[in-house]
Amino acid sequence: MGRRKVDMRAPLFVLLFLFLVWEVAAPLAVLIWGSISSAEPGEASFFSFSHLTIDNFERAFRGGEFGSAIRNTAIFAVGTTALAFVFGAYLAWVVERTNTPFRKLITILVIARFIVPDILTTIAWTFLASNRIGTLNHWTSSIFGIDKPLFNIYSMPGMIWIAALDFFPLAFLLMSAALRSMDPSLEEASLVSGHGIFRTTRRITFPLAIPAIVALLILLVTRGITTFETPIVVGLPARINTLVLQLWQKTSTIPTDLGVASVFAVIVLVLCIAMVWFYGRVTRKTEEFAVVGGKAFRPRRVELGRLRWLTFAGAMFILVCALILPMIMLIWAAIQPAYSGLKPLTLSSIMHNSGLTLSNFTAALDSDITRRAFVNSTILCIAAASAVVLLMAITAWVTVKSKWRGRRLLDQMVFAPIAVPAILLGIAFLWLYLVVPIPIYGTKWILLLVYIAHFMPQAFRIISAAMTQISDQLEEAAEVSGATWWQAFRTIMLPLLVPGMLAAWVFVAVLSFREFPASVMVYSHGSEVIGVSIFNLLQDGSFGLLSAFGILMLLVLLLLIGVVMLIAGRFGLRERFKEVAR
C-alpha cells in the first residue's frame, strides 16, 4: 500500500488567512481601539473596557486644530487634484492623440519622474523657490529688478504646486491608457462635420473618457488627503496643518497625544475607505461608456501643424519644472562646500565659485548614517519584495484557481491596505507592537512587516493577472498523474509565473527602497532607511550631504531598473510592466 498523500492546501489556506488577519486587521483594530481608550498603547490597561471614552474625540474637535486641518486638507487635496489632472491629461493627449514631436522623450521623462522619490523633488523646490535662498527669486530679482521675492514655496499655493508635480505621472499613465483604447471614429465624424481640433477634444474625446477621468480624480483626491512629503517639508515650516501632518505631530513630537492622534487617524481612514469605495463603484460601471468594439483600429493623431511645437513647449515646461529643474538644484546643492549654505544658482556663481567640491559625495559614502541607511534599505527592499511575491503567488492561486468559499474574503483582505495611507499603516503597526509582547519594536523586523502589508495589493494585482493566463488543465493533468498540489504548484505554476513574479518583485523592491511615510513612524536608531535619513539631514541643515545622498540613491535605482530591463527581453517582462503602468 502506497503512502497516503497529504493535502497541504487547507492548512496553507488557514495559515495564510491568519497571517493576513494579523498583518491587516490587527493593526487597524488596535488603532481604532486607541481612539476610544483613555489609556495609551503599551499600558497594561489599554484593552480594559473601563477605560472606554469619547474624550479623545471631544479634545480633537474642541480646539481650532481640527477645523483648520480639515480646511487645509480639503483645499490642498482639491487644488492638487485639479492641477495634477490638467498636467497629466495634457501630456497624455499630447503623446497619444497629436503629432507633437519627441513624444517618446516626453514619455521617458514622465516615467523618470515617477521613479524619483517625492521627498527629493519637494526638497529641491524649497531650494528653488524659498524666500531666502530660492534661485527663482534671485533670477527674477536680477532680471526684472523685483525687490520682494516673487515666489513663496512656503504657502498653500506652493504646496499645491509641488504636490501636483509629484502626482501628475499617475494622471498621465491612466489617461494615456484611456485615450489609447478609444475608437477614433466619433472624433473623425466631429472633424468631418467642421468642428475644430480643440472643440472635438472638449466635446468628444474627454467626455468619452468620463469613467477614467472620474476614477483618476478619486485617486488623486485620495493621494492629496494622505500625502506626507509635501506637508512635512513645506507645510510644517509654513504652519499649514493638514490631517496627516497633525497625525504625525501628535504621535512623534513632544508633548505627544496618542488619543487625539488616533482620532485623526480614524478620520483619515474613513475618508480613504469612502474614496476607495466610490472608486470601485465608478469602475464597475465603465461598460456603460464602452467605445471599443470588436473591429481593429488605431487611434487617430491630430495634425497640429505649426502648433505642434507649441504643444511640445508646453509639455517640456511641465517636465522641466517636475524633473529637470529639481535635479539641477540637487546637483548644485551637492557640489557646495559642507555647511556653507546654499547659494542661488547663477552663471556668475558657477564661473567664479572656486569652492565647488565633490566632498559631499565622499561624505555620503563615508558617513555611518548614510551607509547604514543604504544597507538597511537594500536588505529591506530585497526581503520585502521576496516575501510579498511568494505570499501573493499563493494568494493568487487561492483567489483565482481554487473554488474555496473563503477566497473572496482573502481577496478583500489582500486589497484592504490599498485604502490605508502609508503613514497611518506605520502608526498602526507601531501601536500594535507596543501592545503585544512580541519584541520587534525598534528593529528592522517591524519595518519589514509594514512594507509587506503596504505593498501586497500592488504585487497581487500583477501576479493574479499572470495567474489568470495559465490554464487549469496543466495543474489538473499533474494531479491526475499522481503529483501532490504542492508539487504541481512548485513545478508547473511557479515556473509559468516567473515573468509576473519578477515584475512584481522589481515593482515592490523599487517602492520599498524609496519608502518614507510609513518608515518615519516605526524606525528607531540603527534601523533608519534612506527616506528617513534624507529627512533627518534636512532637519540638520545638511543640504549638500542630503542632495549628494539622494543623487547616489537615484543612481542605484536607475542601475537596478537598467539590470531589470536587460533581463526583461529574456523573460518577456516588457508587457508586464506596461500592464502595471496601465
Side-chain angles (χ1 to χ4, degrees), residues 138-422:
H138 184 82
W139 289 352
T140 56
S141 176
S142 59
I143 295 173
F144 302 107
I146 301 175
D147 295 332
K148 294 182 179 180
L150 185 62
F151 302 100
N152 180 19
I153 206 66
Y154 294 104
S155 62
M156 180 60 76
M159 290 176 59
I160 290 172
W161 171 258
I162 293 175
L165 294 177
D166 291 338
F167 296 172
F168 84 86
L170 174 64
F172 169 83
L173 292 173
L174 295 181
M175 286 303 298
S176 292
L179 294 176
R180 193 183 306 120
S181 62
M182 285 183 188
D183 188 336
S185 59
L186 295 176
E187 296 169 301
E188 292 173 358
S190 175
L191 293 171
V192 169
S193 300
H195 299 300
I197 294 171
F198 295 104
R199 187 177 181 187
T200 297
T201 300
R202 180 173 57 87
R203 303 272 314 261
I204 303 295
T205 306
F206 282 107
L208 289 176
I210 283 177
I213 291 173
V214 174
L216 172 59
L217 292 177
I218 295 171
L219 290 178
L220 291 175
V221 169
T222 305
R223 283 202 63 182
I225 293 172
T226 61
T227 190
F228 182 61
E229 290 85 348
T230 304
I232 197 171
V233 174
V234 179
L236 185 62
R239 298 183 179 179
I240 301 175
N241 285 326
T242 63
L243 286 172
V244 170
L245 189 56
Q246 280 286 315
L247 179 58
W248 175 78
Q249 287 181 308
K250 296 294 184 183
T251 306
S252 303
T253 60
I254 298 174
T256 60
D257 192 337
L258 300 186
V260 172
S262 64
V263 172
F264 282 110
V266 169
I267 293 171
V268 173
L269 181 62
V270 170
L271 287 174
C272 291
I273 291 174
M275 298 302 290
V276 171
W277 175 83
F278 189 31
Y279 174 82
R281 296 281 296 178
V282 169
T283 53
R284 278 201 297 268
K285 296 183 178 181
T286 54
E287 68 275 5
E288 299 176 9
F289 296 84
V291 292
V292 180
K295 187 184 294 185
F297 64 86
R298 177 178 297 176
R300 182 182 184 276
R301 294 193 180 278
V302 177
E303 297 293 331
L304 296 175
R306 294 181 179 178
L307 288 177
R308 68 186 187 278
W309 294 106
L310 184 61
T311 56
F312 173 72
M316 288 307 300
F317 171 77
I318 297 171
L319 293 169
V320 165
C321 292
L323 180 66
I324 297 174
L325 272 179
M327 290 300 100
I328 290 174
M329 286 307 302
L330 287 176
I331 295 171
W332 175 248
I335 59 177
Q336 299 291 317
Y339 298 102
S340 64
L342 181 60
K343 300 180 179 65
L345 175 58
T346 64
L347 183 60
S348 175
S349 61
I350 295 174
M351 299 298 295
H352 301 98
N353 195 333
S354 58
L356 299 182
T357 177
L358 297 178
S359 60
N360 286 314
F361 290 94
T362 304
L365 294 172
D366 293 339
S367 169
D368 290 338
I369 296 173
T370 55
R371 282 191 299 182
R372 184 169 62 236
F374 181 82
V375 171
N376 289 341
S377 289
T378 302
I379 293 173
L380 286 168
C381 82
I382 294 173
S386 302
V388 167
V389 166
L390 180 60
L391 287 169
M392 292 305 99
I394 299 172
T395 306
W397 180 88
V398 172
T399 57
V400 175
K401 296 297 183 182
S402 76
K403 305 298 182 184
W404 296 345
R405 292 181 180 180
R407 67 185 186 278
R408 292 183 183 273
L409 179 59
L410 205 65
D411 183 277
Q412 293 171 356
M413 291 287 291
V414 169
F415 264 102
I418 204 74
V420 184

Side-chain angles (χ1 to χ4, degrees), residues 54-77:
I54 61 170
D55 181 63
N56 294 328
F57 285 87
E58 292 178 350
R59 288 189 297 111
F61 299 152
R62 187 180 303 149
E65 290 181 343
F66 177 75
S68 64
I70 283 286
R71 182 174 61 255
N72 290 334
T73 300
I75 295 172
F76 176 67

Side-chain angles (χ1 to χ4, degrees), residues 415 456-466 579-582:
F415 264 102
M456 283 192 306
Q458 295 90 332
F460 180 75
R461 176 187 174 188
I462 302 169
I463 296 174
S464 61
E579 290 175 8
V580 173
R582 294 171 189 170

Side-chain angles (χ1 to χ4, degrees), residues 34-173:
S35 67
I36 56 174
S37 174
S38 60
E40 294 188 347
E43 296 181 1
S45 58
F46 180 70
F47 285 116
S48 172
F49 286 96
S50 63
H51 285 269
L52 292 181
T53 179
I54 61 170
D55 181 63
N56 294 328
F57 285 87
E58 292 178 350
R59 288 189 297 111
F61 299 152
R62 187 180 303 149
E65 290 181 343
F66 177 75
S68 64
I70 283 286
R71 182 174 61 255
N72 290 334
T73 300
I75 295 172
F76 176 67
V78 172
T80 300
T81 296
L83 193 57
F85 174 77
V86 170
F87 287 166
Y90 171 77
L91 290 172
W93 176 74
V94 165
V95 169
E96 299 295 337
R97 287 304 180 94
T98 73
N99 66 333
T100 300
F102 304 110
R103 295 187 300 276
K104 289 185 178 180
L105 174 63
I106 294 172
T107 302
I108 291 171
L109 291 176
V110 174
I111 299 300
R113 176 59 193 87
F114 197 79
I115 296 170
V116 178
D118 295 343
I119 189 170
L120 281 181
T121 54
T122 302
I123 293 172
W125 264 100
T126 64
F127 298 162
L128 279 164
S130 168
N131 288 339
R132 296 184 297 106
I133 61 173
T135 291
L136 293 181
N137 284 319
H138 184 82
W139 289 352
T140 56
S141 176
S142 59
I143 295 173
F144 302 107
I146 301 175
D147 295 332
K148 294 182 179 180
L150 185 62
F151 302 100
N152 180 19
I153 206 66
Y154 294 104
S155 62
M156 180 60 76
M159 290 176 59
I160 290 172
W161 171 258
I162 293 175
L165 294 177
D166 291 338
F167 296 172
F168 84 86
L170 174 64
F172 169 83
L173 292 173

